[in-house]
Amino acid sequence: MKNENPFQLALKTYRSVLFSTIIFSIAINALMFVGPLYMLQVYDRVLHSRSEMTLAMITLIALAMLMIYGLLEWLRSRVLVRAGMRFDEMISKGLFSRVVTSTLKQPQARSEFALADIDRLREFFTGSGLIALCDVPWFPIFLVVCFLFHPLVGWIATCGALIVFALALANEFMTKKPLAEAAGHGQAAQHFANSALQNVEVIRALGMETSLRGRWNAMHRSMLEKQANASDRAGGLLSASKFVRMSLQTIILGAGAYLAIEGAISPGSMIAASIMMGRALSPVDQVVGQWKQFVGARMAYRRLNQIFHDVPEESERTALPAPTGNLTAEQLVVGPPGSRTPLLQGVSFAVSPGEALAVVGPSGAGKSSLVRSLVGVWQPLAGAIRLDGAELQHWNRDELGNHLGYLPQSVELFAGTIAENIARFKEGVDAEEIIKAAKMARVHQMIQNLPDGYETQIGVGGRQLSGGQRQRVGLARALFGNPALVILDEPNSNLDSEGEEALAQAIAELKAQGKAIIVVSHKMALVALTDKTLVLADGRMRGFGSTRDVLQPKPAVPAGAAAQIENGQNRSIA
């Protein structure tokens, strides 16, 4: 049976809570008749009879009913808040996974903003916006009561409601487009700022701050202009709505006084009719006041529904045995997500447990594309990648990650402690496993020399560490959990001689333990440690075999690839 969309399932669950909210709203709105009825009794009975006992009794009854009213309001709010938290819990896990998947497939879509849509929708479900919608159905009931007082009172209330509702519709049509444009510009500005601040050192060092600030400011100003346009329109309409409300109160009192003078209604009915008209217009007025929240919640609903629809939930995978590290690529064709244009094609190779494979080639040869496909980030356009005979997409994502060690060319650490980063932020990890990975990466002593050791907070992106330290901590993270396959992309790009020696020892130890290793490098000293070499150029495989044979000066090996390796070695020596 096909799994139901978690977002729609959460909404379906919330509908039962909404039904309870409607029940509460019925009782709450029924108790709103207390005020008009109390005023009616005071003016028409108490003042004429001058009975203090009657006044005391009806006052006590009114206060008791209002106390129940307050209790029901509190319970309704409490139920909505708890239901909102439950709604958040039901979709947050699935949403985060879908945002990750969507970002990998379509980085330009800025799917990360969907995470904020949960808060926007939850706030609507638990706030005054939903309560206003629940109260709106009571509008015709209050209106009927106004007609019961006198038809003139009912028609005044009806005309006022129509005017207020017309203003609400005008608010929708006049602000919908600028609000949508403002949201788009705001997201673009935020995304640009987040991307820029990830490279804050480059910005300051190259004097790019003024230029980037100008670009961000232009995007931000576009958002402000659209938002100001919408706010001006909404503000004008809201002011008009308030003017109508206040004018109607005056008109209804004047009409009530006229009817009382003519003897058509009693003075008490005049006051009660004024209060009742206010009750009738209150839900409509609340809808006008909460219109921005309605629009925001509707946009959030559409975006969340879209991402849950476009990115299906990963199906449950049969748990596969722990791999030994046999990796094969069969006529592999790789391209970026969303494109059918290959960046790498016709690649076939194999690496066995205890073997190390070097991937070399000039810039633009397709090395990064190959690595992205080997770790499961990019799906092959054609061909297959198999780990112990099973294609990568047959593995559960988290299970595959547990058997995979990956050190990217640009090491990204996360805000937290060094221990948390090495442990991949897994809960309940034995400290011995963390130290074991650090020792294998030869970084244990370096960590011990830091002020707080393994508990050192490294900040966002690990900026409290140097480039070499980040790379070595990243290597320890790659080796955590005793992975069967280790993929290292330029692992010594930021290392000094001591770090390179530690890396060489780690690779030798991994080979001795029977791990399969793939190393992307330009440096001959590191390539020489491998058993096999794959040469790439212009997105194609130009050579594959034992490292000793492939790197011999033969015509089969592109001179550019060999020259790049030699140049990398010369640069490292220099």
Side-chain angles (χ1 to χ4, degrees):
M1 184 178 69
K2 186 177 179 182
N3 291 332
E4 189 170 3
N5 184 327
F7 181 60
Q8 294 298 329
L9 182 61
L11 289 176
K12 186 181 294 185
T13 302
Y14 194 83
R15 288 191 188 104
S16 61
V17 179
L18 182 60
F19 178 76
S20 302
T21 305
I22 293 174
I23 299 299
F24 275 107
S25 298
I26 292 174
I28 289 170
N29 280 279
L31 289 170
M32 285 187 176
F33 287 101
V34 171
L37 290 176
Y38 177 77
M39 296 302 296
L40 186 63
Q41 296 301 314
V42 167
Y43 276 86
D44 290 351
R45 290 181 180 272
V46 175
L47 293 183
H48 284 289
S49 66
R50 298 182 180 274
S51 173
E52 296 179 354
M53 181 60 68
T54 302
L55 177 61
M57 291 305 297
I58 64 173
T59 301
L60 288 175
I61 294 172
L63 290 176
M65 300 300 287
L66 291 176
M67 185 178 298
I68 296 174
Y69 169 85
L71 179 62
L72 291 177
E73 279 274 23
W74 175 73
L75 288 175
R76 179 172 67 173
S77 175
R78 187 176 178 84
V79 168
L80 287 176
V81 169
R82 298 301 181 275
M85 293 174 63
R86 174 60 178 161
F87 174 81
D88 193 299
E89 290 173 359
M90 291 184 69
I91 68 172
S92 57
K93 181 180 177 181
L95 177 61
F96 190 87
S97 299
R98 283 170 169 80
V99 168
V100 172
T101 301
S102 180
T103 303
L104 288 173
K105 291 183 177 180
Q106 295 179 307
Q108 72 281 0
R110 299 194 292 272
S111 303
E112 68 273 15
F113 291 106
L115 296 174
D117 286 331
I118 295 184
D119 299 330
R120 188 174 291 109
L121 199 57
R122 188 190 65 251
E123 288 171 1
F124 172 75
F125 283 156
T126 60
S128 55
L130 182 64
I131 292 175
L133 287 180
C134 292
D135 292 342
V136 163
W138 279 80
F139 161 71
I141 298 175
F142 289 127
L143 203 60
V144 168
V145 175
C146 288
F147 273 99
L148 292 177
F149 282 116
H150 194 277
L152 179 60
V153 175
W155 284 116
I156 292 174
T158 302
C159 292
L162 290 175
I163 294 173
V164 172
F165 185 68
L167 291 173
L169 288 179
N171 194 7
E172 158 70 1
F173 290 114
M174 294 178 66
T175 61
K176 181 179 180 180
K177 184 177 179 180
L179 282 176
E181 292 176 347
H185 287 298
Q187 290 182 358
Q190 186 63 43
H191 182 73
F192 178 80
N194 292 341
S195 300
L197 293 176
Q198 291 178 0
N199 301 283
V200 64
E201 295 176 2
V202 175
I203 293 174
R204 182 56 58 88
L206 298 182
M208 300 170 62
E209 184 175 345
T210 301
S211 301
L212 294 178
R213 183 182 64 219
R215 176 163 296 191
W216 172 83
N217 191 55
M219 300 167 73
H220 184 66
R221 183 167 292 278
S222 296
M223 180 272 293
L224 289 178
E225 290 174 354
K226 297 295 182 181
Q227 198 171 64
N229 185 17
S231 296
D232 287 344
R233 297 178 182 181
L237 293 170
L238 185 60
S239 299
S241 178
K242 288 182 178 180
F243 166 76
V244 171
R245 280 286 306 272
M246 296 177 69
S247 299
L248 285 171
Q249 289 289 342
T250 302
I251 293 173
I252 202 72
L253 283 173
Y258 168 76
L259 293 172
I261 292 173
E262 295 293 322
I265 62 174
S266 66
S269 298
M270 175 188 72
I271 302 299
S274 175
I275 298 174
M276 190 57 65
M277 191 200 68
R279 294 283 188 265
L281 294 182
S282 179
V284 180
D285 198 48
Q286 287 179 13
V287 169
V288 175
Q290 298 294 328
W291 200 260
K292 275 190 178 181
Q293 192 177 9
F294 295 152
V295 173
R298 183 177 60 191
M299 294 172 63
Y301 167 80
R302 289 176 179 174
R303 284 191 293 264
L304 288 171
N305 192 49
Q306 187 71 32
I307 194 170
F308 273 92
H309 178 270
D310 293 346
V311 185
E313 188 171 6
E314 292 189 9
S315 58
E316 290 290 333
R317 299 286 184 182
T318 302
L320 299 175
T324 60
N326 278 299
L327 181 74
T328 59
E330 304 166 357
Q331 292 300 313
L332 192 61
V333 179
V334 180
S339 172
R340 302 297 301 176
T341 303
L343 300 178
L344 185 70
Q345 52 187 324
V347 174
S348 298
F349 66 88
V351 58
S352 302
E355 288 185 340
L357 168 69
V359 180
V360 300
S363 298
K367 302 187 297 297
S368 296
S369 300
L370 176 62
V371 168
R372 291 188 181 105
S373 64
L374 293 180
V375 298
V377 173
W378 285 8
Q379 295 295 324
L381 299 178
I385 303 171
R386 300 181 184 276
L387 182 60
D388 279 26
E391 293 192 39
L392 290 189
Q393 57 264 37
H394 294 170
W395 287 83
N396 176 276
R397 292 285 184 184
D398 287 342
E399 288 184 4
L400 177 62
N402 291 334
H403 303 303
L404 181 67
Y406 175 47
L407 177 64
Q409 185 173 356
S410 177
V411 181
E412 289 292 341
L413 301 179
F414 304 95
T417 66
I418 288 182
E420 289 173 328
N421 274 271
I422 294 177
R424 308 182 185 185
F425 285 86
K426 295 181 182 295
E427 299 290 340
V429 173
D430 193 340
E432 292 182 1
E433 291 295 315
I434 299 173
I435 296 174
K436 178 182 176 181
K439 286 184 175 179
M440 185 177 292
R442 273 65 179 177
V443 74
H444 174 70
Q445 190 58 49
M446 184 204 80
I447 296 174
Q448 292 291 75
N449 292 334
L450 294 173
D452 296 318
Y454 282 90
E455 304 309 314
T456 300
Q457 293 284 341
I458 62 176
V460 177
R463 296 193 181 280
Q464 302 298 327
L465 304 178
S466 67
Q469 288 175 324
R470 286 199 297 270
Q471 198 156 36
R472 296 181 70 179
V473 171
L475 177 60
R477 180 180 64 185
L479 301 182
F480 174 79
N482 196 31
L485 173 64
V486 179
I487 300 176
L488 310 174
D489 191 358
E490 299 288 354
N492 55 351
S493 58
N494 292 311
L495 299 182
D496 54 16
S497 58
E498 180 183 351
E500 290 192 349
E501 178 62 26
L503 175 63
Q505 293 175 5
I507 291 176
E509 186 174 346
L510 288 170
K511 290 175 62 178
Q513 293 178 0
K515 310 300 182 184
I517 309 160
I518 297 177
V519 181
V520 178
S521 181
H522 290 140
K523 297 188 178 181
M524 184 67 74
L526 191 57
V527 174
L529 299 174
T530 63
D531 305 289
K532 298 177 179 178
T533 295
L534 172 66
V535 181
L536 300 177
D538 300 324
R540 294 183 178 274
M541 185 174 70
R542 301 300 185 182
F544 173 68
S546 70
T547 298
R548 179 177 299 178
D549 294 337
V550 171
L551 295 184
Q552 292 295 325
K554 296 179 181 179
V557 181
Q564 178 139 352
I565 296 172
E566 292 297 337
N567 290 338
Q569 170 67 6
N570 293 337
R571 284 194 297 271
S572 66
I573 295 174

